[in-house]
Amino acid sequence: MIKDDQEAGPQTPVRFGAQLLPPLGRGRVSKVVCALVDDGRPVALTCDEGDRSVGVWDMGDHRQAGRPIKPRGHDPVWGVAYGELHGRHVAVLVGGGLWVWDLNERRQLSRGRVQPHPPGRREGAGQWAVACTQLDGRLVAVSGGYDCTVRIWDVATATQMGDPLCGHTGVIRSVACGVLHGHPIALTSGEDETIRIWDLERREQIGRPLTGHTGPIRAVACGQLDGRPIAVSGSRDHTLRLWDLAAPDPAGMLLRGHTKAVDAVALTTVAGRTVAVSGGEDVRVWDLRTSRQVGPPLFDGRDIAWVTSLACGTLHGTPDRARGLRRRSGTRVGSAGAPPHRLPRTHADCRRAAGELD
């Protein structure tokens, strides 16, 4: 079971918040994902709310790597995921359909259309969220959206695998993939205030929905804590919950600190410890072994409105966080008591910041 312990062990560094790179682009970014390209370079994939394209950003030099990814036609793009398909680094886009793009050649490999909706389900083809995993030796994508169903796709052919999975009664806002008892699973969360766990091999829900949040759940992430499968969820009820997925009847441990809605969650490992990064009006870091917040909210000195997406990766050997910002409204990120960090504005600044953290 997950415990709120104070056991001795490697301590999570408190020097969170030093921004390594200037902001990526000037648009309104709603989703962000960490990825790789052929030579091993880390990149960030970002969904632009304005033109519904996906930008590819080289995290080493902070420049856009080639032209943005934009499917033909006028279909919107609302979500993006990363995967490796037969040795190719690919981006999977969802919105009015599903598209698979080669990140190195920057060309569309395939496109899938959303099949008819189950009887009694809300009309509307929009897929809002997507995540990739391996199933029976092939890359699959799991998506969810406005018709409240979960869909599994064969990425190689961009075709839907079987009928949609039903259970949610509200729009699905987040999808995460993981492993439970050696089997691939997907977690979905949404406006019905529940999280559901799906067995991807059997194509069925595992157990009862995870309940406890009292508002729409906009974010869920899946990972490991001391060898046990866990999930962390963020809700519009201003809280996060930590779930032990291996427990017979998981009960989410509350993580309090945010004073407004939590719309983004990501997991990573720092100094041997599993940490969660959560975002909304501000960005906070949590040591999941102690269930406590690490340091003050992250603050970079800019006025921004809301963090809608977070992703964790590695840059220069240092765990790094990329984040998506929905819009600007003059609201400062962080609290008045947060120690300010100088915002890098040039590539020389970026290199100096990276050297200070080494």
Side-chain angles (χ1 to χ4, degrees):
M1 296 293 291
I2 295 173
K3 298 179 180 179
D4 183 357
D5 60 49
Q6 299 285 337
E7 67 183 75
Q11 298 298 305
T12 305
V14 296
R15 288 192 65 189
F16 285 107
Q19 187 165 326
L20 297 181
L21 298 174
L24 301 180
R26 295 184 174 85
R28 297 182 299 174
V29 176
S30 59
K31 297 285 178 67
V32 61
V33 173
C34 291
L36 295 173
V37 290
D38 269 355
D39 57 5
R41 282 180 297 146
V43 298
L45 309 178
T46 59
C47 282
D48 188 296
E49 279 196 345
D51 62 7
R52 298 298 183 188
S53 67
V54 173
V56 183
W57 302 85
D58 188 316
M59 298 301 288
D61 63 12
H62 181 242
R63 293 181 171 85
Q64 191 162 353
R67 65 185 185 280
I69 295 172
K70 193 170 185 178
R72 304 181 188 89
H74 302 285
D75 286 325
V77 176
W78 289 317
V80 61
Y82 164 75
E84 292 187 30
L85 176 66
H86 307 318
R88 296 173 182 260
H89 298 277
V90 299
V92 178
L93 287 56
V94 294
L98 179 139
W99 303 266
V100 181
W101 280 69
D102 185 305
L103 287 175
N104 293 285
E105 299 179 4
R106 203 59 57 82
R107 66 183 180 90
Q108 184 172 302
L109 300 177
S110 55
R111 176 185 179 179
R113 298 185 180 276
V114 178
Q115 299 300 314
H117 304 275
R121 286 280 154 175
R122 177 186 303 186
E123 293 295 328
Q127 300 293 287
W128 178 261
V130 62
C132 289
T133 190
Q134 291 287 324
L135 176 62
D136 297 329
R138 55 182 166 175
L139 183 66
V140 299
V142 182
S143 69
Y146 288 97
D147 68 355
C148 313
T149 68
V150 178
R151 297 168 188 265
I152 305 173
W153 306 78
D154 184 331
V155 174
T157 60
T159 55
Q160 217 172 280
M161 300 169 61
D163 294 328
L165 307 181
C166 300
H168 280 285
T169 58
V171 175
I172 296 171
R173 294 292 185 179
S174 184
V175 178
C177 291
V179 176
L180 180 62
H181 304 310
H183 299 281
I185 61 169
L187 285 79
T188 54
S189 67
E191 301 292 321
D192 61 3
E193 303 178 5
T194 71
I195 300 166
R196 295 170 189 264
I197 309 173
W198 306 90
D199 184 322
L200 296 181
E201 293 174 334
R202 297 186 176 183
R203 301 181 51 79
E204 62 184 22
Q205 186 173 313
I206 300 174
R208 294 179 296 178
L210 306 185
T211 59
H213 281 296
T214 57
I217 305 171
R218 292 292 181 90
V220 64
C222 189
Q224 296 277 325
L225 176 60
D226 296 330
R228 296 181 69 85
I230 61 164
V232 176
S233 54
S235 169
R236 307 234 98 190
D237 65 8
H238 308 178
T239 71
L240 290 95
R241 284 182 179 263
L242 171 61
W243 308 87
D244 183 346
L245 299 181
D249 190 12
M253 178 184 292
L254 273 175
L255 304 180
R256 297 182 184 275
H258 285 278
T259 58
K260 293 189 178 180
V262 183
D263 280 355
V265 174
L267 298 182
T268 190
T269 301
V270 178
R273 290 239 175 175
T274 302
V275 301
V277 186
S278 57
E281 184 184 39
D282 53 29
V283 177
R284 297 170 186 252
V285 181
W286 307 82
D287 185 330
L288 295 183
R289 185 174 290 177
T290 63
S291 305
R292 293 184 177 180
Q293 186 176 320
V294 180
L298 307 192
F299 170 66
D300 62 15
R302 291 177 296 158
D303 290 334
I304 59 178
W306 212 260
V307 177
T308 62
S309 183
L310 288 162
C312 293
T314 301
L315 180 64
H316 307 309
T318 301
D320 183 39
R321 293 159 300 281
R323 61 189 169 188
L325 309 175
R326 176 167 294 174
R327 61 189 183 280
R328 296 180 181 271
S329 70
T331 302
R332 172 174 284 183
V333 170
S335 65
H341 297 287
R342 180 174 173 275
L343 175 64
R345 299 188 182 279
T346 69
H347 301 301
D349 288 344
C350 298
R351 290 192 292 272
R352 281 193 291 270
E356 289 171 0
L357 293 179
D358 287 340

